Amino acid sequence: MSSKRKITVAYGDGIGPEIMKATIDIMEAAGAQLEYDVIEIGEQVYLKGITSGMEPKAIDSLRETKVFLKSPITTPQGGGFKSLNVTTRKSFGLFANVRPCKAFSPFVKTHFPKTDLVIIRENEEDLYAGIEHRQTEEVYQCLKIISKPGTEKIIRYAFEYARKYGRKKVTCMTKDNIMKLADGLFHKTFDEIAKEYPDIQTDHKIIDIGTALIADRPEIFDVIVTLNLYGDIISDVAAQVTGSVGLGGSANVGEEVAMFEAIHGSAPDIAGMGIANPSGLLNGAIMMLVHIGQPEVAEKIANAWMKTLEDGIHTGDIYQEGISAKKVGTDEFAKAVIARLGQKPANMVPAAFDKSSTAPIEIKLRPAKKSKKELIGVDVFIDWDADGRNPNTIGDTLRRASANGLVLLLITNRGIKVYPGGMKETFCTDHWRCRFQKPDQSPVSHAEILDLLAQIKDLGFDFIKTENLYAFDGVRAYSLAQGE
Ligand code: NAD
């Protein structure tokens, strides 16, 4: 018999304690070899003044066990509190969020009975970098950070996942028709890596039509890989169309640590009532058992759970007259799963995990190639609200600033060119992006930029930030202005 594997467990808030107890009862009855290091996270920790929602000893526990089974938590409203989920994902490098979305029709009501897809969402970058600024009276900014290694890692993970679990197709979703550099990197990397997996079909969809298709024809998708924010949104769309928001589990996987949870929140509206469905957390726990090398226990639980659904033993959230046989609470549902351990579903495809499912997905990144980076200009962002915001006034004044041939090329407002030769209909805020380059686009020095900024200040302008314009290996590495 294998020795017990220590895992970190948090009972969380709201319905968290009820669904965690049910999940642990089922795992124990199924013969899981586990030892639990219970930590406190969430509301009580936030209210002690720890803004991350996690005490240092909880972090030590995770460092030691490297596996975290987590109930949902309540994030207190109001400023200052950081999302514990985002903090855990980023500080432990949990780069892949894996969310299987499967229909359990007719036992769980859905219009899309054939849905069986897995969303692999990049988990650390994008707009979740959390770098936000208010720059002017009117304008706020949130930076979207996309890195080459972050992108390569998640795309390789998606292909490796597809191979490991016998999936046939990987679809990439981006918005690279608009964000040509950031989302473009994701799409381009996907196309390059796809060549290494000729056994897997590939496809790319723009995220808007991709989301619409998930809502309308989810059965056409198999594995989907996408950026953080899009992944967050499509995960909920996909879970909703399977009719199983309360059933889905999710894994957050890093190179060393992994966190498993339900996709739903702490459901304060039904907390303490004993009616919550523990299936979401249980499905997270099944993924965890596979991850830690106890696939036979995972398989046993998954099959007993499906058999329970088939037998119509349902919690209130999925109960349907005519299909369900009995409405049960959390504990009774857990007991029904335990009573079916060793049985398989008769109508749904039984789960089958073996040792090969537990082999970790190892990602090897390509050696990085160094490009030749050249500074060829600067965008200076200015807060200006005078003269009826006439672009010609700010433009004609800024023309007086020039450093060794570095001159004003154009001004945009919210990305659209307003100077020279803007359209009078364009609405202008108090936020102006002023592009300075040498007419022949020859290299610019940092000293020239500092000289330029000093002149801009002397002309009386408040520059709120600068963004250097680079070329990498001679290729322009910034977007052109709309209308440029
Ligand atoms: P929620 O998922 O908690 O609840 C949405 C609705 O679904 C509620 O009506 C709830 O009763 C129902 N529901 C959810 N899980 C259920 C279950 N297992 N069984 C039966 N019914 C269930 O979403 P919310 O109300 O938007 O958020 C509540 C709190 O949870 C917030 O503080 C939010 O920040 C937090 N939250 C935490 C996580 C997490 O820890 N991973 C995720 C999402 C939301």
Side-chain angles (χ1 to χ4, degrees):
M1 198 152 86
S2 60
S3 61
K4 293 201 169 192
R5 171 71 155 86
K6 194 168 176 185
I7 63 167
T8 302
V9 166
Y11 279 74
D13 301 317
I15 59 169
E18 300 159 55
I19 59 174
M20 183 60 84
K21 178 184 176 304
T23 300
I24 290 181
D25 286 352
I26 295 169
M27 291 196 296
E28 287 294 310
Q33 296 299 307
L34 296 171
E35 195 187 321
Y36 309 98
D37 188 12
V38 177
I39 60 165
E40 206 191 327
I41 56 164
E43 203 169 21
Q44 289 315 311
V45 181
Y46 281 118
L47 297 177
K48 276 187 210 165
I50 300 174
T51 55
S52 66
M54 202 172 201
E55 287 184 328
K57 63 174 188 262
I59 294 170
D60 292 343
S61 169
L62 262 180
R63 261 199 200 117
E64 184 203 334
T65 68
K66 306 201 185 313
V67 176
F68 189 16
L69 182 63
K70 177 187 151 290
S71 264
I73 57 147
T74 303
T75 310
Q77 297 293 313
F81 299 112
K82 283 284 186 190
S83 159
L84 180 135
N85 288 324
V86 177
T87 306
T88 312
R89 287 171 191 162
K90 293 201 326 199
S91 41
F92 283 99
L94 309 184
F95 67 89
N97 185 284
V98 182
R99 274 198 191 186
C101 295
K102 189 169 173 353
F104 298 100
S105 181
F107 311 102
V108 179
K109 199 173 164 194
T110 170
H111 298 301
F112 307 102
K114 293 195 189 125
T115 311
D116 182 7
L117 59 88
V118 181
I119 293 170
I120 309 233
R121 161 189 169 196
E122 197 289 314
N123 223 7
E124 298 179 282
E125 306 195 336
D126 195 355
L127 290 155
Y128 291 69
I131 307 176
E132 293 191 277
H133 300 93
R134 178 175 177 177
Q135 297 176 321
T136 69
E137 184 59 36
E138 292 182 344
V139 173
Y140 297 69
Q141 166 186 278
C142 175
L143 288 184
K144 171 160 171 155
I145 308 277
I146 307 293
S147 79
K148 273 187 172 182
T151 299
E152 185 180 343
K153 228 188 306 186
I154 193 69
I155 289 170
R156 282 194 184 281
Y157 187 89
F159 278 105
E160 288 293 328
Y161 181 97
R163 237 182 213 172
K164 178 171 166 184
Y165 291 101
R167 300 246 168 198
K168 306 274 178 288
K169 185 166 97 174
V170 181
T171 303
C172 173
M173 293 197 191
T174 72
K175 188 78 183 169
D176 68 334
N177 53 332
I178 302 296
M179 283 158 276
K180 296 191 165 69
L181 288 181
D183 285 32
L185 171 68
F186 202 90
H187 188 173
K188 189 168 139 250
T189 309
F190 176 79
D191 286 347
E192 284 166 9
I193 292 173
K195 292 186 194 128
E196 299 174 32
Y197 296 83
D199 48 320
I200 295 178
Q201 295 168 45
T202 57
D203 187 15
H204 173 267
K205 295 254 178 293
I206 298 291
I207 186 66
D208 32 11
I209 188 63
T211 310
L213 286 169
I214 294 172
D216 190 47
R217 287 161 56 199
E219 65 283 353
I220 66 172
F221 294 106
D222 194 349
V223 173
I224 299 173
V225 64
T226 189
L227 296 90
N228 203 343
L229 178 64
Y230 311 143
D232 198 359
I233 297 167
I234 64 169
S235 297
D236 275 23
V237 175
Q240 187 72 31
V241 300
T242 59
S244 63
V245 152
L247 304 188
S250 114
N252 295 271
V253 185
E255 273 156 45
E256 291 204 1
V257 176
M259 171 169 86
F260 301 86
E261 58 185 341
I263 63 172
H264 59 73
S266 58
D269 52 335
I270 57 164
M273 294 166 70
I275 58 170
N277 187 345
S279 300
L281 186 61
L282 187 64
N283 275 314
I286 290 169
M287 294 163 89
M288 177 195 78
L289 288 165
V290 173
H291 176 83
I292 61 175
Q294 300 187 22
E296 59 295 336
V297 187
E299 185 179 304
K300 200 167 162 189
I301 296 174
N303 285 326
W305 174 75
M306 282 193 269
K307 182 76 170 86
T308 309
L309 288 189
E310 281 190 358
D311 288 348
I313 315 291
H314 293 166
T315 43
D317 55 314
I318 56 168
Y319 183 86
Q320 307 167 70
E321 286 294 341
I323 288 190
S324 307
K326 190 175 182 200
K327 190 189 277 187
V328 293
T330 316
D331 280 347
E332 207 181 332
F333 183 83
K335 287 197 179 97
V337 175
I338 291 169
R340 286 164 181 76
L341 288 167
Q343 297 182 37
K344 287 191 173 167
N347 300 292
M348 293 189 265
V349 181
F353 302 120
D354 57 21
K355 282 285 172 213
S356 70
S357 327
T358 73
I361 292 180
E362 276 173 21
I363 305 294
K364 281 199 189 66
L365 298 187
R366 292 175 294 198
K369 181 181 143 286
K370 275 271 176 227
S371 322
K372 182 169 178 278
K373 180 179 172 191
E374 263 183 319
L375 181 57
I376 54 169
V378 62
D379 279 347
V380 182
F381 291 74
I382 290 179
D383 178 353
W384 182 70
D385 187 10
D387 193 32
R389 299 184 183 172
N390 181 347
N392 293 328
T393 307
I394 178 171
D396 291 346
T397 313
L398 279 173
R399 274 201 185 282
R400 306 214 297 265
S402 167
N404 198 21
L406 191 59
V407 290
L408 181 70
L409 188 70
L410 58 90
I411 300 178
T412 68
N413 200 296
R414 296 187 303 174
I416 186 96
K417 190 175 104 174
V418 292
Y419 180 89
M423 287 175 45
K424 65 178 175 16
E425 293 83 359
T426 304
F427 176 79
C428 289
T429 66
D430 54 4
H431 186 269
W432 308 81
R433 186 263 303 263
C434 310
R435 176 160 290 174
F436 289 85
Q437 287 192 297
K438 295 184 178 174
D440 60 357
Q441 302 224 336
S442 57
V444 170
S445 70
H446 286 88
E448 286 164 352
I449 292 177
L450 291 173
D451 180 10
L452 182 77
L453 289 176
Q455 294 181 44
I456 292 172
K457 177 191 78 76
D458 290 344
L459 287 168
F461 290 106
D462 172 17
F463 59 85
I464 47 186
K465 79 160 191 172
T466 62
E467 199 72 64
N468 287 346
L469 305 178
Y470 291 106
F472 285 82
D473 289 337
V475 178
R476 175 173 51 80
Y478 50 89
S479 58
L480 292 179
Q482 283 157 351
E484 187 172 348

